[in-house]
Amino acid sequence: MTDPVPDYTGRDGRLELSAPATPEILELVHAMMAHLWTTHEVTAQQRVRFETSVIEILGNIVEHALVGSAPGDGRRFDIVLDVGRDDVVARLGDNGIPVEMDLSKATMPDELAEDGRGLALAKAALDSLSYRRIDGRNLWDLVVLRGGS
Amino acid sequence: MTDPVPDYTGRDGRLELSAPATPEILELVHAMMAHLWTTHEVTAQQRVRFETSVIEILGNIVEHALVGSAPGDGRRFDIVLDVGRDDVVARLGDNGIPVEMDLSKATMPDELAEDGRGLALAKAALDSLSYRRIDGRNLWDLVVLRGGS
Amino acid sequence: MTEFGVETRADGVGVVTPEGRLNMVSARRLREVLVGLVERGTSRIVVDLGETTFVDSSGLGALIGGLKTARQAGGDLRVARVSPAVLSVFELTNLDRILRPRPSVDGAFDD
Amino acid sequence: MTEFGVETRADGVGVVTPEGRLNMVSARRLREVLVGLVERGTSRIVVDLGETTFVDSSGLGALIGGLKTARQAGGDLRVARVSPAVLSVFELTNLDRILRPRPSVDGAFDD
Ligand SMILES: Nc1ncnc2c1ncn2[C@@H]1O[C@H](COP(=O)(O)OP(=O)(O)O)[C@@H](O)[C@H]1O
Ligand SMILES: Nc1ncnc2c1ncn2[C@@H]1O[C@H](COP(=O)(O)OP(=O)(O)O)[C@@H](O)[C@H]1O
């Protein structure tokens, strides 16, 4: 996780959303990804791996935004999405509490577990997932490569 | 149009999108407005007046973004949407050519005209529409008041 | 995305049913559909807006364009089953007089 | 938004059909529906995923929760008509072994 923070501002086709961190916003982020697929040819496998991972990471942000904060207290997030020639990328940022876990240790729980699968699923589905805390913000970078499937 | 530029950053529930100025993006902006209506009770009349106006102004931006520029040359826009206690507001910004027309003179054309209705329709539908050129950017502010219908 | 149903009835009236939103993307296709019908000899046309959830000024332009083309060929264009939301756009642009909405597709040419 | 079809067949098997996306919002409702069925005596349940376009980890959690509740009551939970997209989420989480997808709702309890 000592790679430089990728800079997405040169990607002209990117979509950027900033919005309240609420459960309802998940549907709008699905609509953004659906928009990406109408303008780029990405395989079904790559789409499902990307969509699932984005929703897992955003779901965690929303969940932790709600913990210990009254509804409507202004917890927000932002997301950048882009399909490049070689990759599909997402960056999620929020000003919530720092994430107290080691991503490299996120593994699939017991098959009968009812939770704890989110990060392991995103790791398994993505070609790269990284978490950083920068300037009081959580930053998640997600990549699916378009090369194979 | 000499009012101060409204500041929307204090509106915690606002949605902000930045995206390429393409015709396809209209559908995503419709989805953003649909999201606003699921989280706020706005009358059907107010919704249609707001949605129509946002799509007219954005449609113009997309049209003028395409004129004289190759596809994919990076023309983008941004939009802020929010439902407040008393109003529904949108701000659209783009770095396109300055708009060479006097908004106060936009009137409904002859009934058999096939175009030229967009701005007049937005003016008729909104409680307030203003255009400014600031720092090389076009800024459009749209307001529907929630008081009456 | 907007789909267009197009059929020609036994009495020669063409019925076009745009589904979804009629905006700058789909209005262009509606224009082509309407001109195509008139060129193939169908100049009495009903646009059934019962499945149309949204119309902007380019959609209105396509309807007016179709109306003029149909009238030039000796026919007419009528709109039917207009939702309250779309009707308010007709009213804001004063087009409810020239695009006088009819309650049903079947009766749209009765007067 | 996700809707849930719920019916109990003549043979006593309950069939639940979530429509749309099974995410953190709708998974909570699915959990309630499954527990409700078992509480009312229906412990053999098929979740028909034929209308489900997306499942995330909370959706998977709701299915596993339902499976455990049904088994505790002497029954079982089976999933049917899983799309390729949803199947790949089962596979990425290794849940395709415990939530072994069946091709049809009717035959889901045949083995
Ligand atoms: N955005 C986040 N903010 C704070 N903590 C987080 C965040 N994402 C994940 N975590 C921590 O990582 C743990 C594992 O997350 P996950 O694998 O998604 O499973 P689950 O959310 O089902 O518990 C969470 O329980 C939480 O403690
Ligand atoms: N975003 C914009 N950028 C540049 N010019 C604009 C823009 N919006 C409107 N205009 C000008 O205003 C005119 C009237 O616009 P409008 O009422 O929407 O009708 P139409 O687009 O159908 O011609 C346009 O023809 C154009 O010259």
Side-chain angles (χ1 to χ4, degrees), chain A residues 75-105:
Chain A
R75 197 61 67 74
R76 295 176 60 84
F77 76 99
D78 46 62
I79 183 167
V80 181
L81 296 166
D82 187 56
V83 182
R85 213 171 44 113
D86 302 323
D87 54 19
V88 190
V89 298
R91 163 167 307 156
L92 289 99
D94 70 276
N95 57 1
I97 51 169
V99 180
E100 301 283 351
M101 45 82 61
D102 182 350
L103 198 52
S104 68
K105 301 215 174 90

Side-chain angles (χ1 to χ4, degrees), chain B residues 56-57 59-65 94 96-101 106-107 114-121 131 138 140, chain C residues 57-58:
Chain B
E56 291 298 339
I57 302 299
N60 280 342
I61 291 173
V62 165
E63 228 170 277
H64 292 279
D94 71 276
I97 51 169
V99 179
E100 302 283 351
M101 45 81 61
T107 49
E114 292 182 41
D115 52 26
R117 272 186 195 88
L119 290 173
L121 171 52
Y131 166 77
N138 299 311
W140 298 87
Chain C
S57 66
S58 47

Side-chain angles (χ1 to χ4, degrees), chain B residues 27 30 56 108 112 114, chain C residues 1 21 31 57 68 92:
Chain B
E27 291 292 323
H30 272 294
E56 291 298 339
M108 213 55 84
L112 287 175
E114 292 182 41
Chain C
M1 296 290 105
R21 299 186 182 112
R31 252 178 228 277
S57 66
K68 291 196 297 193
L92 285 165

Side-chain angles (χ1 to χ4, degrees), chain A residues 20-101:
Chain A
T22 59
E24 294 75 25
I25 208 75
L26 294 176
E27 292 292 324
L28 187 57
V29 173
H30 273 294
M32 290 175 75
M33 294 190 279
H35 175 82
L36 286 185
W37 313 144
T38 63
T39 50
H40 297 83
E41 280 196 33
V42 177
T43 70
Q45 267 299 313
Q46 289 161 356
R47 292 199 304 257
V48 65
R49 286 165 48 207
F50 185 75
E51 284 205 34
T52 307
S53 305
V54 165
I55 294 299
E56 290 298 339
I57 302 299
L58 180 54
N60 280 341
I61 291 173
V62 165
E63 228 168 278
H64 293 278
L66 296 176
V67 170
S69 66
D73 81 339
R75 197 61 67 74
R76 295 176 60 84
F77 76 99
D78 46 62
I79 183 167
V80 181
L81 296 166
D82 187 56
V83 182
R85 213 171 44 113
D86 302 323
D87 54 19
V88 190
V89 298
R91 163 167 307 156
L92 289 99
D94 70 276
N95 57 1
I97 51 169
V99 180
E100 301 283 351
M101 45 82 61

